[in-house]
Amino acid sequence: MKYYVDINAGRQGDGSKNHPFQAISEAAAIAVAGDEVIVAPGVYREYVDPKQAGTEQARITYTSSTLKGAVITGAEPVKNWVPFAENVWTARIPNEVFADYNPYTTLVFGDWFDASYIAHTGEVFLNNKSLYEVTSLEKVITPVVYKKSWDSAFSVYCWYTEQDEESNETILYANFQGLDPNTENVEITVRENCFYPSAEGIGYITLSGFTVCKAATQWAPPTAYQEGMVGPHWSKGWIIEDCEISHSKCSGISLGKYKQPNNDNKWSLTKFKDGTQTERDCICQAQLEGWTKENIGSHIVRRCDIHDCGQTGIVGHLGGVFSIIEDNHIHHINNKQNLAGAEIGGIKMHAAIDVIIRRNHFHHCTRGLWLDWQAQGTRVTQNLFHDNTIPNPENISPDNIDIGEDIFVEISHGPTLIDNNVLLSDFALKLPTQGVAVVHNFIAGSFTAVSRGVDNGTPTLPSPRYTPYHLHHRTEVAGFMTVLHGDMRFYNNIFVQKDIRPVMAGFHETVKDDEWTDGNLICGTNPYEAYPTYEEWVTMFEGYCGMGSKKTDRYYSKLPVWAGGNVYFNGAVPMSKETDAKVDKEHKVTCDLVVDEEGYKLSTNVYDFLKAGDCRIVSTETLGVAFEPEQAFENPDGTPIVFTEDYFGYKRDFSPLPGPFACGKAAAEVLF
């Protein structure tokens, strides 16, 4: 059955082509497996709550008839502004408008949210640009530039809210810097979600070609109900494709966790159990309550433009397992810097089990990709990363401990595979983890937090973080263990040392002894200098005969590190045990990202100094198995990988070049 929707249609439509529904929600209430909902261009100011699930054989499909022409928004226009003071206007909103969720009385809150930041879930928009909330009327009247923002000049466009309990109204004050809000496009967010089922288990839905924007979403940590502006809400088999997703207060797309009433922000609410313990509890509870490959995950997010969200472009814990995230443009996340905490990134995923993240473009995010806990069977391949850092390096201070990087893999046991990527930010990889293989990448940034960041930061007592690992290609927990560090592989990468900016060097000096990051700015595998080779590591176990042996540290020592086929330029430094490292001290390598009408291109002369035969073909067999789960670096279906396909999908020959491109000519092609 096909249902048609047109915002300009009459109220009495029956969903037929000649008499379409006026609201998408009308179709969403009745569409069943196999149905298609076709939506005409227009602005749909509604919360779409799909009521029925599709099936694997018969999906329910929602399609914008014109690509990105149908707009689902959580915002409403406000035209009743009156002057209050110079540049400042005020408007009153009856609270009945908000029903049972008022974004202007609801504070952003949750585990790992920095509570020093006072923010409501609501937003005020001027011509599709989000204003900055301040904490007093005086600060609206006399605004101060917020230097932490990526767009600090706009931060003087600000707003404040309070309640008139007598009249039951929300009062808004906003500084529009001389503009008349009644003639400009001014909107406020009034809905928590845009396209998101209220019930669990509404699976096998496709959302195709929509613009979705402006929702008053709540903070989404792994230990709470993780909502987004768009998302499947604990189900299976969604496809979100060809959409523009933007301006969610917190998260754009959620592939995340369902609500566990007995363990929902428990750390923040009760204080007695640490967040990492409540997270372990969440995982075990989910396993008892149906978290399996058969019931949850296997979503696809593809060809979407995801930007200008306050916390994450895509968030997920447990619910995103076995998913594919491909060909998306993820950029300008957390750029206002008005939200802070440990759950921020272009993508922030816990338990990315067998998740494939490929051919995406991450840039201008506080952090590009953050894989936290249980990155087991995760593959990050053929992506472009750049400019993922804090916005204004001149504002670096000791408070900026998590300064940002392209990829952060945290306290996981692997196998995590990072291959055929271009990594151009100051910090390429943050690695307080183990069980990672880094193969055929172009790396211009450094590694940070090696040998660090796996404790909870207690001042005097031990606080190791034990995280789970799982049965191979399943969700069932196989065991828990802290991170020993090591168990890393680095093959066939190009390392190019960038010029170190003085401000970054100063930052390194302030944090070099910190538990969470060392701020290392030297590119290359050198942070693993003190790690054993496999041959050195196995000697610790020679002659061991089990019970009765003397006390030993062998089971808590650093794990081995493997490396081969890597090349180093401009002062990038290998670890000394990397016997076949090619260190070029003669040539100056350039690597600049050039943007023109065709797209993003890498301008580099590095291929003038490479030759075939500097490295060999790498495969699943080469990489072996990740130590703790004893799982190979392989495809989700258990088949082996041979790394003969490059960044563009071109085939390498039997004497490959290092780096992500099969030939030097390919490096000049459009990356995204």
Side-chain angles (χ1 to χ4, degrees):
M1 185 84 166
K2 288 188 177 182
Y3 294 105
Y4 293 85
V5 180
D6 189 339
I7 189 67
N8 297 309
R11 292 184 178 180
Q12 305 303 317
D14 58 10
S16 64
K17 191 170 187 178
N18 293 327
H19 299 92
F21 291 132
Q22 192 177 53
I24 304 169
S25 296
E26 294 178 86
I30 61 174
V32 296
D35 288 347
E36 182 178 5
V37 179
I38 302 169
V39 184
V43 179
Y44 296 82
R45 299 185 185 276
E46 58 177 308
Y47 162 45
V48 182
D49 181 6
K51 296 300 184 183
Q52 283 80 225
T55 67
E56 189 172 4
Q57 294 74 31
R59 311 180 64 81
I60 302 176
T61 301
Y62 294 79
T63 305
S64 173
S65 63
T66 300
L67 183 64
K68 300 180 184 177
V71 180
I72 307 173
T73 178
E76 294 286 345
V78 178
K79 292 297 183 184
N80 63 331
W81 296 94
V82 296
F84 179 80
E86 185 180 0
N87 292 333
V88 178
W89 298 66
T90 185
R92 287 176 170 263
I93 313 297
N95 284 339
E96 290 83 0
V97 167
F98 304 115
D100 59 352
Y101 180 78
N102 185 339
Y104 304 94
T105 60
T106 305
L107 293 175
V108 177
F109 168 83
D111 291 348
W112 289 283
F113 176 68
D114 185 344
S116 67
Y117 286 70
I118 305 300
H120 290 87
T121 58
E123 296 265 39
V124 178
F125 292 89
L126 171 64
N127 298 326
N128 296 311
K129 199 166 181 178
S130 174
L131 275 63
Y132 288 68
E133 184 178 7
V134 293
T135 54
S136 71
L137 180 55
E138 182 183 350
K139 292 180 179 179
V140 178
I141 297 170
T142 311
V144 176
V145 171
Y146 184 56
K147 292 184 178 180
K148 288 186 177 181
S149 169
W150 287 75
D151 185 10
S152 57
F154 191 74
S155 65
V156 295
Y157 292 78
C158 53
W159 63 276
Y160 170 71
T161 187
E162 61 187 18
Q163 293 293 304
D164 186 334
E165 295 183 5
E166 219 174 273
S167 63
N168 193 30
E169 291 177 314
T170 292
I171 307 174
L172 297 171
Y173 303 91
N175 192 323
F176 295 106
Q177 295 297 322
L179 297 177
D180 182 348
N182 294 317
T183 59
E184 304 292 333
N185 176 24
V186 176
E187 300 172 287
I188 65 169
T189 44
V190 302
R191 287 174 287 277
E192 192 169 6
N193 314 108
C194 289
F195 192 97
Y196 198 93
S198 59
E200 299 169 15
I202 308 298
Y204 296 105
I205 285 178
T206 296
L207 184 72
S208 183
F210 287 83
T211 295
V212 188
C213 62
K214 304 185 181 87
T217 51
Q218 184 55 278
W219 187 254
T223 49
Y225 167 51
Q226 285 187 314
E227 66 172 10
M229 191 161 57
V230 179
H233 190 185
W234 203 245
S235 65
K236 187 173 181 179
W238 273 47
I239 298 174
I240 302 168
E241 63 183 12
D242 300 309
C243 292
E244 182 174 0
I245 309 287
S246 72
H247 295 96
S248 174
K249 180 68 177 195
C250 290
S251 294
I253 296 173
S254 172
L255 306 179
K257 182 182 161 294
Y258 69 112
K259 187 170 185 177
Q260 297 172 335
N262 64 315
N263 194 4
D264 193 63
N265 285 316
K266 190 174 183 178
W267 180 28
S268 295
L269 291 169
T270 68
K271 312 296 184 186
F272 299 121
K273 276 191 175 182
D274 183 82
T276 56
Q277 181 59 27
T278 61
E279 187 169 343
R280 284 186 286 265
D281 292 348
C282 283
I283 294 162
C284 293
Q285 181 177 339
Q287 183 170 295
L288 293 170
E289 294 178 346
W291 179 48
T292 67
K293 188 174 186 177
E294 290 71 31
N295 297 332
I296 301 299
S298 297
H299 307 298
I300 299 173
V301 180
R302 61 191 176 201
R303 300 187 302 273
C304 291
D305 183 7
I306 304 169
H307 61 94
D308 288 288
C309 298
Q311 178 191 338
T312 63
I314 302 174
V315 73
H317 181 211
L318 306 176
V321 290
F322 315 111
S323 294
I324 297 173
I325 301 171
E326 62 184 3
D327 301 304
N328 300 288
H329 188 190
I330 303 171
H331 57 105
H332 296 93
I333 302 298
N334 191 235
N335 281 187
K336 288 176 69 178
Q337 294 275 293
N338 62 333
L339 301 180
E343 303 302 324
I344 286 169
I347 296 177
K348 174 65 191 287
M349 289 195 76
H350 290 74
I353 298 171
D354 282 0
V355 171
I356 298 173
I357 300 169
R358 65 189 175 200
R359 300 191 303 269
N360 302 285
H361 183 188
F362 296 82
H363 66 96
H364 292 94
C365 300
T366 299
R367 172 167 284 126
L369 169 63
W370 189 349
L371 300 170
D372 198 353
W373 291 43
Q374 304 149 273
Q376 183 170 333
T378 312
R379 186 176 185 186
V380 181
T381 182
Q382 300 169 310
N383 301 281
L384 170 61
F385 294 86
H386 62 93
D387 294 291
N388 297 303
T389 182
I390 64 167
N392 299 310
E394 65 271 16
N395 294 323
I396 288 174
S397 74
D399 296 332
N400 297 123
I401 296 301
D402 288 324
I403 197 170
E405 55 283 318
D406 287 329
I407 303 174
F408 181 6
V409 186
E410 183 173 8
I411 200 157
S412 292
H413 302 287
T416 307
L417 179 56
I418 299 170
D419 69 281
N420 290 296
N421 302 284
V422 177
L423 306 162
L424 300 178
S425 298
D426 288 314
F427 299 135
L429 296 172
K430 189 171 186 177
L431 295 170
T433 195
Q434 65 188 50
V436 179
V438 181
V439 181
H440 274 295
N441 300 281
F442 188 106
I443 301 172
S446 60
F447 298 161
T448 67
V450 173
S451 304
R452 305 188 186 206
V454 302
D455 293 332
N456 261 338
T458 51
T460 60
L461 298 175
S463 57
R465 289 191 289 169
Y466 286 83
T467 57
Y469 52 96
H470 300 263
L471 299 182
H472 299 183
H473 310 297
R474 300 286 305 179
T475 60
E476 290 82 2
V477 174
F480 288 83
M481 186 56 185
T482 188
V483 165
L484 302 176
H485 300 288
D487 193 26
M488 309 291 285
R489 297 120 174 104
F490 301 97
Y491 288 105
N492 299 0
N493 300 288
I494 297 172
F495 292 96
V496 178
Q497 176 69 54
K498 297 172 65 172
D499 291 337
I500 298 174
R501 293 175 288 164
V503 68
M504 299 301 288
F507 172 75
H508 166 71
E509 287 303 311
T510 67
V511 302
K512 62 184 179 181
D513 297 320
D514 185 79
E515 164 62 19
W516 299 101
T517 181
D518 53 5
N520 170 52
L521 292 162
I522 303 303
C523 184
T525 58
N526 186 253
Y528 289 93
E529 177 66 25
Y531 282 71
T533 64
Y534 178 77
E535 291 73 19
E536 291 170 333
W537 178 70
V538 296
T539 60
M540 291 191 292
F541 299 87
E542 292 176 359
Y544 175 63
C545 58
M547 292 294 292
S549 295
K550 64 181 180 179
K551 290 183 179 181
T552 177
D553 290 330
R554 62 169 67 90
Y555 296 110
Y556 298 91
S557 298
K558 290 181 173 68
L559 296 169
V561 174
W562 293 260
N566 301 302
V567 294
Y568 298 81
F569 295 94
N570 296 3
V573 181
M575 54 185 181
S576 59
K577 296 174 184 178
E578 189 175 341
T579 55
D580 70 343
K582 304 292 190 300
V583 181
D584 187 322
K585 297 182 179 180
E586 178 183 356
H587 303 102
K588 175 68 174 178
V589 164
T590 58
C591 59
D592 299 303
L593 197 62
V594 177
V595 186
D596 60 24
E597 63 279 0
E598 293 183 300
Y600 289 78
K601 301 174 183 176
L602 182 64
S603 175
T604 181
N605 61 346
V606 71
Y607 283 88
D608 295 340
F609 315 123
L610 300 177
K611 63 180 185 297
D614 279 348
C615 59
R616 60 187 180 88
I617 292 289
V618 175
S619 66
T620 292
E621 183 178 2
T622 310
L623 300 177
V625 299
F627 175 76
E628 209 65 64
E630 300 177 338
Q631 179 178 331
F633 294 81
E634 61 192 7
N635 288 310
D637 63 2
T639 57
I641 301 170
V642 181
F643 294 89
T644 54
E645 187 174 290
D646 81 346
Y647 179 96
F648 295 106
Y650 300 147
K651 294 295 184 182
R652 295 184 169 94
D653 60 28
F654 295 121
S655 296
L657 290 171
F661 308 117
C663 64
K665 181 180 178 182
E669 295 189 21
V670 176
L671 302 180
F672 198 93

